[in-house]
Amino acid sequence: MWIVFTFLAAFMQSWRNALQSQLSRDVKVAGVTLARFLWTGPIAACYLAALYFFLPPDLQQAGQQAGQQAGQANLQLFPAPFWGFVLGAALMQIVATGLMVKLFQLRDFAIGAGLAKSEAIVAAVFGALFFGTQLSLLGWLGVVIGAVAVLLMSKGAGVARLSPQVLLLGLACGSAFALTSLWVREASQVLTMPFPHSAAWVLFWVISLQTIVLLLFLYLRDRQTLAALWRRPKLTLAISVTSCLGSIGWFSAMALQAVPYVKTLGQVEVFFTLIVAGSYLKQKVKPKEMTALLLIAVAAILVIWG
């Protein structure tokens, strides 16, 4: 199931990135970042409501004892550590998205998305050092091969062509996305409710916080950017819809499996990204990028096997 959710997330994220790349030509970084979250909250709320309607959770199986008062049960549904992980993930994803949009503005779409995919190797290192994540030897091999593939795709005619600024932005972007993913998984793990309800609640609260923070920031500091989004309703809605569907996939997959595995398999997004870049954005796919795709396929097989 986590593999299916990961493929869904990768496919939707490639389209969301392409749409954000298009919007970034006319709208500032903060506005493009907000477009990702603006309509995602209501969609996430509908998804959560649909889960409870069609798949009502068994509270006893989720660890709730009979006879508890409603107020006590509600308090235990969201323990204190949950809010810390949700707040950290929400803020870090805003930072990561802003850095990725900046990459789109400095380089072309495929290179910017490729540099952001350094997330997988960073998630593996951070997970092993700080979050108790354990990977098999094949898992580590898959993560490393995936990182080499992304670097091969990103560097184009030579890594020297990429300025230190772009490389640092790419590493910072990948690190921010990695921390977001690790905290999202931790938030899902501390909840006592079953899957997929736990992942849906994490998604709803993370998205809601992100929308409130960005709306307040732009309302107080840059209302012209809000007006620019208002003038592009179809593109903004398309970004939000693809973002929400992608987030449902990521949050669900990370609730079921360790982040490094999910993110390494999620590098199949590069395949979708190159298709979108060639067909939708009319950017030429290079032979070196096809080689990177083969390496990513090897990495995905090793991760699944491991």
Side-chain angles (χ1 to χ4, degrees), residues 107 111 115 151 154-156 158-167:
R107 302 293 298 183
I111 290 178
L115 287 172
L151 177 62
S154 301
K155 70 180 184 178
V159 76
R161 298 288 184 88
L162 295 178
S163 68
Q165 179 189 11
V166 173
L167 289 173

Side-chain angles (χ1 to χ4, degrees), residues 24 50 89 112 145 177 219:
S24 67
I145 291 176
F177 274 127
Y219 181 78

Side-chain angles (χ1 to χ4, degrees), residues 92-306:
M92 195 57 63
Q93 193 172 41
I94 291 175
V95 173
T97 303
L99 291 173
M100 185 173 64
V101 173
K102 189 65 176 178
L103 280 172
F104 291 155
Q105 295 175 341
L106 293 175
R107 302 293 298 183
D108 66 34
F109 165 65
I111 290 178
L115 287 172
K117 297 306 290 180
S118 61
E119 170 188 7
I121 187 71
V122 176
V125 174
F126 283 3
L129 290 177
F130 306 113
F131 294 86
T133 303
Q134 295 182 352
L135 301 183
S136 66
L137 180 60
L138 286 177
W140 275 108
L141 183 59
V143 169
V144 172
I145 291 176
V148 171
V150 169
L151 177 62
L152 181 64
M153 189 210 70
S154 301
K155 70 180 184 178
V159 76
R161 298 288 184 88
L162 295 178
S163 68
Q165 179 189 11
V166 173
L167 289 173
L168 287 175
L169 274 176
L171 182 59
C173 180
S175 299
F177 274 127
L179 284 174
T180 299
S181 301
L182 290 164
W183 283 333
V184 162
R185 175 166 171 80
E186 291 298 315
S188 297
Q189 295 298 302
V190 299
L191 294 179
T192 58
M193 63 189 68
F195 175 86
H197 302 79
S198 57
W201 273 113
V202 175
L203 171 66
F204 173 75
W205 286 116
V206 168
I207 292 297
S208 298
L209 285 174
Q210 290 167 332
T211 305
I212 293 171
V213 168
L214 280 172
L215 276 175
L216 285 176
F217 174 79
L218 289 175
Y219 181 78
L220 296 175
R221 300 292 297 274
D222 191 0
R223 298 184 187 181
Q224 291 182 348
T225 298
L226 288 177
L229 288 179
W230 184 259
R231 291 192 295 268
R232 295 164 180 81
K234 292 183 179 179
L235 185 55
T236 301
L237 179 61
I239 291 172
S240 290
V241 170
T242 53
S243 176
C244 187
L245 293 176
S247 294
I248 289 173
W250 289 128
F251 282 45
S252 299
M254 291 184 294
L256 294 170
Q257 184 56 274
V259 172
Y261 287 122
V262 173
K263 289 302 181 177
T264 299
L265 180 60
Q267 287 173 344
V268 297
E269 177 194 342
V270 174
F271 172 74
F272 299 129
T273 295
L274 293 179
I275 293 177
V276 172
S279 61
Y280 181 68
L281 299 179
K282 308 302 180 184
Q283 295 177 358
K284 188 177 179 180
V285 178
K286 303 176 181 65
K288 189 171 291 187
E289 294 168 341
M290 299 305 297
T291 303
L293 286 178
L294 293 177
L295 289 176
I296 288 173
V298 172
I301 292 171
L302 288 173
V303 164
I304 296 173
W305 192 8

